[in-house]
Structure formats: C-alpha cells, structure tokens
Amino acid sequence: MEPNVGGIDRTGRIVIGIVAALAGIAALAGYLAVSAVVGAVAVAVGAILFVTGTTQKCPINEAAGIDTTK
C-alpha cells in the first residue's frame, strides 16, 4: 500500500488523534463525566487517526480513491 495521507490531512489526523485518545483516557480514568463506552470509543478512534497519520496510509482513502499526498 502506497502512502495516501499527506499535508494538512496528515497533521490533522495526528493532532486530533492525540486529543481524542487523551480525552478517552481521561474519561476512562473518571476525569470526564461521560461513560466508559464513550471513553473507549474515543481512545480507539484516536489511535486509528494517529496511526493512519503517522504511517501515511489509510485503507478507507485507498478504497475511495482519495490521495492527499500531492
């Protein structure tokens, strides 16, 4: 799989992924007034965004034919 995530898309995925994961961890630790399910989903979404941003590869972009590296 060739890289298909770049530029602002990559930066946004990394930043939003970190923020979402931290918010999810805070929710799971009881610092935010949301359920554990919401916290777990936030951690999962954050991890997916962070990984796709750092590896520059997104299977959904590939399936849709989207390439933001150019």
Side-chain angles (χ1 to χ4, degrees), residues 1 4-5 13 48 52 57-67:
M1 180 189 294
N4 60 9
V5 176
R13 286 173 188 252
I48 291 168
T52 58
K57 297 174 185 169
C58 178
I60 295 174
N61 278 9
E62 183 176 351
I66 300 169
D67 186 356

Side-chain angles (χ1 to χ4, degrees), residues 32-61:
L32 295 177
V34 294
S35 71
V37 173
V38 172
V41 169
V43 170
V45 169
I48 291 168
L49 287 173
F50 182 77
V51 168
T52 58
T54 55
T55 62
Q56 295 183 310
K57 297 174 185 169
C58 178
I60 295 174
N61 278 9

